Amino acid sequence: MKLFNSKLNTESKKHREMRLAGLLPKKVYKLAKSSKKTTSAWNKARKECLERYGHKCVLCGSENDLQVHHIILRTLEPKLKYEQNNLCVLCSCCHNHHFYDKNYILLTKKLIRIGLGDVYKLDIDEQTQRVIYKI
């Protein structure tokens, strides 16, 4: 699911619902269209991340259908898009696009428990159910 419709330059319905519910901050960046340069940069970052975690899901240890997850969403901090400290490997079952509903908070709590996100002092505000981080 795309957060923005690039043709209409608008955010998706689900993303808008999350923002209005207070799960996302008011300031969200538009994702740039991918080019050969960004594609090759992403492929390099993805490959490094997979090697860093030994081609295994950080939560369940599965080696099947792996995906690279941005701990802090790309739309919140575009400059962290290729940063290795902001990337982790999840299988499709664990990833399952948790960041489109409240399960994103549960996923982030699991990542905090295993020590990911320490670089950004990642935490969850229990009252507002928002991810807090410092760059």
Side-chain angles (χ1 to χ4, degrees):
M1 176 184 282
K2 293 182 180 179
L3 295 183
F4 285 88
N5 182 335
S6 57
K7 291 180 183 174
L8 301 176
N9 198 21
T10 58
E11 61 188 344
S12 72
K13 182 179 177 184
K14 190 69 174 175
H15 182 266
R16 184 173 185 275
E17 289 171 3
M18 285 180 64
R19 187 175 51 75
L20 293 175
L23 296 174
L24 290 176
K26 291 179 182 176
K27 184 176 182 181
V28 179
Y29 297 91
K30 179 183 176 193
L31 296 176
K33 291 183 178 178
S34 62
S35 65
K36 285 186 178 180
K37 184 178 180 181
T38 59
T39 304
S40 64
W42 171 246
N43 287 338
K44 180 181 176 190
R46 185 181 188 284
K47 183 180 178 184
E48 287 176 16
C49 183
L50 287 168
E51 289 173 0
R52 181 178 176 192
Y53 291 102
H55 295 272
K56 291 182 179 180
C57 174
V58 295
L59 295 178
C60 69
S62 172
E63 297 178 359
N64 299 326
D65 199 18
L66 298 176
Q67 300 173 1
V68 175
H69 172 70
H70 290 87
I71 298 169
I72 300 172
L73 300 178
R74 295 179 300 159
T75 53
L76 299 179
E77 291 296 336
K79 60 187 172 186
L80 299 178
K81 182 168 34 175
Y82 305 123
E83 185 68 38
Q84 287 298 315
N85 291 326
N86 189 40
L87 301 175
C88 68
V89 177
L90 298 173
C91 67
S92 62
C93 187
C94 292
H95 193 235
N96 201 15
H97 297 286
H98 285 286
F99 46 87
Y100 292 117
D101 57 18
K102 285 192 175 188
N103 289 334
Y104 169 65
I105 300 297
L106 298 175
L107 175 63
T108 305
K109 284 180 181 179
K110 288 179 185 177
L111 295 176
I112 291 170
R113 256 187 259 129
I114 62 172
L116 295 175
D118 289 346
V119 173
Y120 306 111
K121 297 184 172 103
L122 202 60
D123 199 12
I124 303 292
D125 183 356
E126 293 298 332
Q127 282 187 322
T128 62
Q129 288 295 296
R130 279 189 155 176
V131 177
I132 302 169
Y133 57 90
K134 294 181 184 179
I135 297 176

